Amino acid sequence: MGNDNVTLEVDPEILQGFIAESLDSFGSLDERFVKLESHPEDKENIAAIFRVVHSIKGNAGFFNLNAAKNLAHKLENLLDDLRQGRRQVNRPIVDHLLKGMDILRAMFVELGTHPQPRELNEAESEYLQNLTRFLSDARAGSGEITVADLESILEALRSDPLTAQHAAIGALATLIAKAGTVGSTAVTESKPTETKVPTSEVTKTDGIRKT
């Protein structure tokens, strides 16, 4: 299992290259988000945004930039819901994505001059908690427990900031409630039905049904 607290020796030039590449990616997404609002049904456009955020999340984790990684991961989850058709694009979702991307972009602008890992600040933590709640509430309404739900809890529990752990506890409570509903349904549906066998088909000598 990975540990977010492990510090890796990273070539500063490679890190700066990643930061510059990420900032370029943010620039390329501006047009994508305009298209998202005007053509919300365009799945390829959504997939293109998802791929950029997914790449940033993975590389941020490699460089131990956990604040950026955790935020990108939540945005990735929301985009994956859109990509997989679990949600439809609407104003609240677009607002969450735009605000989250602005915060993530600001993190990388800061990294350009101070390329050091840091924790989420107060405003970033508040946004991350709001986004986590937004994701959990919508999934609770659908009664669906996804791998993304479990990944979100694991990522938050691995994080250092106490606020991330609070978010994980809230998400876990939601999942427990959902699991109770889904579990009770599953039990009801899987309860075997009793089949009545006509007595004429069973011999009284050996109790074995005749074929």
Side-chain angles (χ1 to χ4, degrees):
M1 184 177 293
N3 188 337
D4 281 353
N5 295 321
V6 174
T7 301
L8 302 177
E9 292 294 330
V10 177
D11 186 328
E13 290 187 8
I14 297 177
L15 176 57
Q16 285 293 346
F18 162 59
I19 293 169
E21 180 181 334
S22 298
L23 289 172
D24 287 342
S25 297
F26 287 122
S28 70
L29 288 179
D30 290 340
E31 186 175 338
R32 292 284 185 185
F33 276 105
V34 171
K35 189 173 183 180
L36 180 66
E37 295 189 71
S38 61
H39 297 83
E41 75 288 347
D42 190 335
K43 296 296 185 183
E44 178 51 40
N45 185 52
I46 294 170
I49 299 172
F50 172 87
R51 287 192 294 269
V52 171
V53 175
H54 176 75
S55 178
I56 290 173
K57 181 205 75 172
N59 287 322
F62 173 78
F63 288 111
N64 206 35
L65 304 173
N66 296 317
K69 181 196 74 171
N70 292 336
L71 176 55
H73 188 205
K74 291 296 183 184
L75 293 169
E76 177 191 41
N77 287 346
L78 182 52
L79 287 162
D80 191 47
D81 282 350
L82 297 177
R83 188 174 64 120
Q84 299 295 339
R86 291 189 290 265
R87 300 176 189 234
Q88 302 301 315
V89 177
N90 57 34
R91 187 72 254 169
I93 286 177
V94 172
D95 288 344
H96 271 290
L97 288 172
L98 290 176
K99 183 172 183 179
M101 294 305 294
D102 284 345
I103 293 174
L104 194 59
R105 189 198 304 247
M107 285 182 175
F108 277 86
V109 170
E110 178 186 326
L111 285 167
T113 54
H114 299 89
Q116 297 294 329
R118 67 165 176 81
E119 295 183 355
L120 294 167
N121 62 36
E122 184 176 353
E124 293 162 353
S125 295
E126 182 179 359
Y127 169 76
L128 186 60
Q129 288 183 65
N130 289 337
L131 180 56
T132 299
R133 192 177 303 113
F134 180 77
L135 287 165
S136 297
D137 289 348
R139 286 175 179 156
S142 68
E144 178 185 13
I145 301 174
T146 67
V147 173
D149 288 326
L150 301 177
E151 287 180 345
S152 296
I153 292 174
L154 182 59
E155 288 294 332
L157 289 174
R158 285 175 175 172
S159 302
D160 290 333
L162 184 60
T163 52
Q165 295 186 28
H166 288 166
I169 292 171
L172 184 58
T174 300
L175 278 185
I176 290 172
K178 287 161 55 176
T181 302
V182 174
S184 62
T185 302
V187 169
T188 301
E189 292 176 349
S190 62
K191 183 178 180 180
T193 55
E194 183 180 352
T195 303
K196 294 187 178 296
V197 180
T199 55
S200 60
E201 294 185 15
V202 180
T203 66
K204 293 185 178 180
T205 56
D206 55 17
I208 301 175
R209 184 184 300 179
K210 291 181 180 181
T211 58

